[in-house]
Amino acid sequence: MLNHTSSPHDPVGWHGTTILCVRRDGQVAMAGDGQVTLGQTVIKGNARKVRRIGPKGEILAGFAGATADAFTLLERLEAKLERYPDQLERACVELAKDWRTDRYLRRLEAMMAVADVHRSFTLTGNGDVLEPEDGIIAIGSGGNYALSAARALIEIEGLSAEDVARRSMKIAGDICVYTNHSVRVETLGDEAK
């Protein structure tokens, strides 16, 4: 959710979500908490903000921001993926172009993290399609806490991408008042790691 003083392109004002994507040893894990807030009130604690999309569920998508806006963007991304199958980057770039130039889409107040087994991207309403150099993406109000924790935990041998994501989300939930411990994690790649 956005507070009333924030702009759709100002992630500092976004409350109610933490999304984290971690890539390690052939596995990608995306985690999202379940808290939804309206102002200073928790409205729901078990929202599902991470989903599998694509014809075979081969892409993970997580969103922060206004829920209806995020679902609109997810639908648009799925349409782009149908048009450009097996081309996640191109689908993301095409969505970002539309998001920045379309009068209706420009008003959407959300941010997205998407990943397949090969690449991860952050998409914003500014037209950004950002690929992290370290394989870690974090968005939402608790994103910086989760990002910091994931960067520290990724150095520990023996932890899978899912382990790092779960532990980082716990840390974010312990610190950020807009993040809870009702975490959903989806993984792609070598599930055994």
Side-chain angles (χ1 to χ4, degrees), residues 47-127:
R48 183 174 163 221
K49 302 172 198 167
V50 173
R51 303 179 181 280
R52 289 178 176 269
I53 62 172
K56 301 174 213 146
E58 72 279 14
I59 296 169
L60 303 179
F63 61 85
T67 305
D69 294 353
F71 281 120
T72 299
L73 291 169
L74 282 172
E75 288 173 6
R76 296 282 181 122
L77 180 57
E78 287 196 281
K80 297 293 183 189
L81 289 166
E82 286 177 17
R83 186 170 179 189
Y84 306 108
D86 301 319
Q87 298 179 61
L88 179 60
E89 181 177 16
R90 179 150 187 208
C92 289
V93 168
E94 293 299 323
L95 174 63
K97 283 183 196 175
D98 290 351
W99 193 355
R100 182 160 172 79
T101 58
D102 183 274
R103 185 174 294 206
Y104 168 72
L105 292 179
R106 263 195 318 240
R107 301 171 67 101
L108 298 183
E109 299 176 345
M111 193 172 196
M112 293 177 61
V114 296
D116 63 12
V117 293
H118 306 291
R119 300 179 73 186
S120 306
F121 300 100
T122 301
L123 284 73
T124 74
N126 291 333

Side-chain angles (χ1 to χ4, degrees), residues 37-53:
T37 59
L38 183 58
Q40 297 178 0
T41 305
V42 176
I43 302 298
K44 185 175 181 176
N46 64 348
R48 183 174 163 221
K49 302 172 198 167
V50 173
R51 303 179 181 280
R52 289 178 176 269
I53 62 172

Side-chain angles (χ1 to χ4, degrees), residues 18 138 141-150 168 171-173 175-177 179:
T18 301
S141 59
N144 286 336
Y145 306 114
L147 178 65
S148 297
S168 299
I171 291 168
I175 298 170
C176 179
V177 297
T179 303

